[in-house]
Amino acid sequence: MDRIFSGVQPTGNLHLGNYLGAIRNFVDLQNKYECIYCVVDLHAMTVWQEPKKLASNTREVTASFLAAGINPESSIIFNQSQVLAHAQLAWIFNCVARLGWLNRMTQFKEKAGKQRENASVGLYAYPNLMAADILTYKANHVPVGEDQKQHLELTRDIAQKFNNDFGVEFFPEVEPLIIGEATRVMSLRDGSKKMSKSDLSDQSRITFTDTEDEISRKIRRAKTDPEALPMDISGLKSRPEAANLVGIFAALSGQTSSEVLKDFGGRGFGDFKPALADLAIEKLAPISSEMRRLLADPGHIDAVLADGAERARAIADPILAEITEIVGLVSA
Ligand code: TYM
């Protein structure tokens, strides 16, 4: 059976983009594949995290997985640092990947910004750890939002170079699964920027912990233009904010953007925004309340992570043992 791996960073402010671009798809895929879903705490550390906050954010992402409908019995849910194989394989990949490849990574450039000299080495090597996450399970499908595409191309390059260098057919070809109508959800304040956990404005995103009032206020205040919605999607081309809201509606309602415009084309945002707010609340409120219920019992969440980690190790350790033998590292 094909194996799925994906990860979410526990850096707080889990948002609608994470849900529509990734977590919701995790749920849909779990009946078709063997699925491994990871809370990537080692990735989060590449930028400063308050230790207590890192722990609570790790539990929060885990709770969001469970509340969204991932079944911890059929899928594996765990946090990355509990399975040492990730860090071990990442070191081997640090020695396979080339500096030139990492220099091209746009996410590093965006995150490091003008402070490049001051960025952690971990932030720079981040994509190698991500390749290790996936390949330590020999996973071949990776559901992600569009922003992770370049990292997955690097994962393929690393796998291929490893296979070539050592003359083996060991690692599979990794395929990104970028699914749905909202693979790149944009900021509610600026249609040219993606919705992100690190945006300074809380108004730019809808989070899993927003109340119904907050969701509706954020949507009401979302930036738009003064025109009515167009009759078909060609009319959304130069209207990024409108395109974003229609895309979010489509993804939440399980329609295409064209179908949404069949209902709302010709109508103004005064009609559309309340309908979108109602829909977002209908879909997100049950998840938020289930998350709150789960977070009241951190012991249960930690037990889910411990069980998942044990099952993850049972897959990863034998694969890592083969890798160390291939590269010539002696083990007793
Ligand atoms: P992270 O934690 O930033 O985001 C988690 C998932 O949410 C998707 N996403 C979005 N989708 C649509 N619109 C948006 N605005 C949006 N923002 C985020 C991301 O594409 C991602 O799927 N590097 C990864 C974590 C990771 C990983 C992995 C993923 C580590 N190892 C191995 C897959 C496989 C990240 O930072 O995701």
Side-chain angles (χ1 to χ4, degrees), residues 5-9 11 15 17-18 20-22 26 40 43 80 107 111 126 129-130 133-134 142-148 151-152 182-186 194-197:
F5 180 95
S6 198
V8 175
Q9 292 195 68
T11 39
H15 56 70
N18 300 129
L20 295 177
F26 297 176
V40 289
H43 275 100
Q80 188 182 27
Q107 197 149 309
K111 284 201 176 172
Y126 179 115
L129 177 59
M130 184 162 158
D133 295 338
I134 300 163
V142 183
V144 281
E146 231 172 74
D147 61 336
Q148 296 301 314
H151 285 158
L152 292 184
T183 56
R184 188 175 175 81
V185 176
M186 308 309 277
K194 76 171 182 189
M195 186 177 284
S196 123
K197 296 173 192 153

Side-chain angles (χ1 to χ4, degrees), residues 116-188:
R116 191 185 156 96
E117 295 296 310
N118 212 18
S120 73
V121 175
L123 187 66
Y124 187 73
Y126 179 115
N128 295 344
L129 177 59
M130 184 162 158
D133 295 338
I134 300 163
L135 292 171
T136 198
Y137 302 95
K138 289 186 160 186
N140 46 355
H141 297 292
V142 183
V144 281
E146 231 172 74
D147 61 336
Q148 296 301 314
K149 220 167 147 186
Q150 194 187 34
H151 285 158
L152 292 184
E153 279 158 17
L154 186 89
T155 299
R156 290 164 69 109
D157 290 343
I158 290 175
Q160 205 173 51
K161 186 167 190 307
F162 181 98
N163 286 348
N164 285 343
D165 286 353
F166 295 102
V168 288
E169 276 306 318
F170 190 75
F171 289 122
E173 254 190 37
V174 171
E175 295 291 341
L177 290 179
I178 300 176
I179 315 167
E181 284 289 307
T183 56
R184 188 175 175 81
V185 176
M186 308 309 277
S187 156
L188 298 180

